[in-house]
Amino acid sequence: MVPLNAYLLVGAFLFITGVVGVATRRNALVIFMSVELMLNAVNLTFVAFSRFLGSLDGQAFVFFVMTVAAAEVAVGLAIIIALFRNRETVNVDEVSLLRG
């Protein structure tokens, strides 16, 4: 049986990788995938704690997070596609639509 610490370390590594991706990359798609990586890291942590504690609460939270992530993907990809059609770039430095 794999110990809880191994799952938590993998979850922390995935989350940190996502944070680094959001902080350092300028491509909107890569930033979007990094956010999804962070959500999956949280899901892994929820499932690990759920299994460790013998409770189904963590798995219920995972279903909720997956639902929110699916909605986020639909809306986020639509925004990125619209951005690319209007500006022909997905570089967040070149997009100033929301700046005042």
Side-chain angles (χ1 to χ4, degrees), residues 15-55:
F15 192 83
I16 290 170
T17 303
V19 168
V20 169
V22 168
T24 61
R25 303 303 295 249
R26 300 292 90 200
N27 188 327
L29 283 174
V30 174
I31 292 171
F32 194 67
M33 288 189 301
S34 297
V35 170
E36 293 298 322
L37 188 63
M38 288 190 289
L39 285 174
N40 285 326
V42 171
N43 284 342
L44 177 65
T45 305
F46 275 139
V47 170
F49 273 119
S50 175
R51 173 129 173 110
F52 179 73
L53 298 174
S55 173

Side-chain angles (χ1 to χ4, degrees), residues 46-80:
F46 275 139
V47 170
F49 273 119
S50 175
R51 173 129 173 110
F52 179 73
L53 298 174
S55 173
L56 293 177
D57 294 340
Q59 295 175 8
F61 279 122
V62 167
F63 281 121
F64 178 72
V65 170
M66 288 173 63
T67 304
V68 171
E72 177 202 351
V73 166
V75 173
L77 286 178
I79 290 172
I80 291 173

